[in-house]
Amino acid sequence: MSPYFEFELKPSAQSLINYLTIGGFPEYIKERTDDILNHLFEDILIRDIAVRYSIKDIRTLQRLAQYLISNVGKPVSGNKLKNIFEVGATSTVLEYLSHMEYSYLLHFVPKFSYSLKKQIANPRKVYAIDTGLVNVNSGSFTEDNGRKFENLIFLHLRRTYKEIYYFSEKGECDFIAFKNGAFHQAIQVCYELNPDNLDRELNGMIEALELFNIEEGTLVTISQKDQFEKNGKVIHVIPAHEYLLK
């Protein structure tokens, strides 16, 4: 099989699953050697962050970065991370997070609120720049395809939108995207819809749509296609390989 076989695949659920595992760094796609992404991860932390910003506690920086890349799609806060890693001040943790974001290693999505003060205070969700980087460097002992799938959709959205939030009140909607300060679309991400999670996924989306007085939303899955109407709202269920081509 050609080492470039990923580029030959047609858009499908299987090609998307392959991408979740491999990611998009060309050298890793060709060589498939984990050391490539291990070294890239370390190089960003040491050369792009520790050296550039004169960080002496490199070990804490490394532990923090591995924790974050092992918890993509989850909310984190400076105060909680300060306690976990026994850092002297929350401001130090926030500086580390800022450095990771400016180096394009990680991204942090705020919780939507009309109050800027609340946006700053609330936990932010963390996402990595590449799903292959997550697979190789994560310290998690479980393979959470749902979180990596959510990470992939975030990476797609950030190519178009500068303003991305997550919505969390009674329910949760994964992404709320704005253009020029105006609501543009709501996106829910679910690896696989089933009877156990259907109501939760729909209700979170509907709650967000009701807040913004919007009639339709999009629910992205790995392969399912459907449409639901509830509380006067229409939810379009679309496979990710179709959504990513839009």
Side-chain angles (χ1 to χ4, degrees), residues 13-174:
Q14 187 56 56
S15 62
L16 193 81
I17 292 170
N18 288 348
Y19 187 85
L20 281 179
T21 302
I22 299 163
F25 284 108
E27 187 178 357
Y28 182 66
I29 291 173
K30 290 188 289 183
E31 301 295 335
R32 205 63 56 81
T33 302
D34 286 356
D35 282 348
I36 292 170
L37 294 183
N38 287 142
H39 291 153
L40 176 62
F41 187 61
E42 285 300 307
D43 282 349
I44 294 172
L45 292 176
I46 302 301
R47 294 193 303 183
D48 295 348
I49 298 177
V51 172
R52 182 177 182 182
Y53 297 104
S54 302
I55 294 174
K56 295 180 180 179
D57 191 357
I58 295 175
R59 179 56 182 155
T60 296
L61 176 69
Q62 292 170 320
R63 290 173 59 225
L64 175 61
Q66 185 178 44
Y67 175 87
L68 293 169
I69 208 167
S70 302
N71 287 276
V72 294
K74 295 182 180 180
V76 296
S77 69
N79 191 53
K80 180 179 178 181
L81 293 172
K82 177 184 81 74
N83 294 332
I84 291 174
F85 294 98
E86 299 180 341
V87 178
T90 302
S91 60
T92 301
V93 173
L94 295 177
E95 286 179 5
Y96 287 178
L97 301 188
S98 178
H99 298 332
M100 291 178 198
E101 191 156 36
Y102 283 134
S103 69
Y104 296 101
L105 177 62
L106 299 170
H107 297 276
F108 299 92
V109 173
K111 176 182 174 181
F112 177 81
S113 173
Y114 286 112
S115 166
L116 182 59
K117 184 176 180 180
K118 288 182 179 179
Q119 276 188 28
I120 295 171
N122 283 326
R124 294 179 291 166
K125 280 190 173 184
V126 58
Y127 297 100
I129 192 60
D130 180 76
T131 53
L133 204 65
V134 173
N135 275 322
V136 171
N137 292 283
S138 173
S140 175
F141 293 104
T142 59
E143 186 172 349
D144 195 340
N145 286 325
R147 298 288 183 184
K148 286 183 289 187
F149 184 46
E150 186 178 321
N151 198 132
L152 175 62
I153 301 304
F154 165 74
L155 293 174
H156 174 70
L157 288 170
R158 71 177 287 273
R159 296 185 185 102
T160 303
Y161 300 100
K162 292 183 179 179
E163 300 172 80
I164 304 173
Y165 305 89
Y166 74 93
F167 174 87
S168 181
E169 295 300 334
K170 292 180 180 178
E172 185 171 308
C173 183
D174 293 312

